[in-house]
Amino acid sequence: IRNAALDGSTLSVLGTLPNLETVHVRSSPGMTGEQLSFLAKCPKLRHLVLSKCEKLTSAGLKWLLDIKELRTLVLDENNQLTARVLELAGYNKQLKYLSLSGCEWVMNKQLEDISEFFSELEFLNVVDTKCTGVGLSTLAGLKGLQQLWVDSHAVSKDDIAKFSKAIEPRDVVIVRVDR
């Protein structure tokens, strides 16, 4: 669903699809979390992408508590969300892929929350956030982390070297993105 002006009743039809596994919503400025609450009725939902949806709020996404099989959550460029959304999604202990790129509310404290809530995480994208190299150390507890994307202007090569030493003997691919 892209650049869509759909109402809740139109979207709720998707909630009747018992095998729905993937929902991708991007650049839908009028889309609210409440309009997407039908997704809590989709028992096989595994991949959820809600990017650049300016009206999404953490309160409107409380239905995330009911999605138990979620493996992928992308909330890129949603600056009206708060750290509360991590707590809501954190009830899903099977999440493997989390992307918060372009979310200005994501800071080093949220890296601590991510480490606490998502113990099975394999991929994390915090490019274009307020996370710095100081916060990387809190991710050392993510034993399954395989790939980490960070900003090159906020995380130095020295920061990455310290993080790599802290997680030895594991190997994590760290991608420093230049913007």
Side-chain angles (χ1 to χ4, degrees), residues 1-71:
I1 301 170
R2 186 180 185 107
N3 297 324
L6 302 173
D7 63 26
S9 61
T10 304
L11 288 171
S12 65
V13 171
L14 295 176
T16 64
L17 303 173
N19 295 319
L20 184 66
E21 289 187 19
T22 302
V23 173
H24 186 138
V25 179
R26 176 157 177 82
S27 298
S28 293
M31 187 74 60
T32 66
E34 292 82 359
Q35 288 175 314
L36 295 169
S37 63
F38 68 87
L39 293 173
K41 298 176 188 168
C42 299
K44 294 186 178 180
L45 186 63
R46 304 284 188 278
H47 311 283
L48 180 59
V49 177
L50 303 173
S51 295
K52 211 170 186 178
C53 298
E54 289 89 11
K55 293 204 175 180
L56 282 185
T57 64
S58 296
L61 293 176
K62 64 183 175 216
W63 48 267
L64 279 173
L65 291 168
D66 299 322
I67 300 178
K68 304 298 183 209
E69 299 300 320
L70 201 60
R71 302 291 189 278

Side-chain angles (χ1 to χ4, degrees), residues 112-171:
E112 290 177 30
D113 294 343
I114 288 167
S115 186
E116 177 185 344
F117 297 141
F118 305 110
S119 60
E120 300 298 314
L121 206 60
E122 295 174 358
F123 175 92
L124 176 61
N125 179 353
V126 289
V127 170
D128 211 14
T129 66
K130 294 183 179 177
C131 296
T132 66
V134 173
L136 287 186
S137 64
T138 63
L139 298 175
L142 293 175
K143 302 297 182 200
L145 190 64
Q146 297 170 14
Q147 202 169 126
L148 174 63
W149 288 38
V150 297
D151 266 317
S152 63
H153 72 272
V155 178
S156 70
K157 290 179 181 178
D158 287 341
D159 294 328
I160 290 173
K162 288 176 192 172
F163 177 72
S164 296
K165 187 157 181 76
I167 62 169
E168 283 181 347
R170 295 182 294 136
D171 285 325

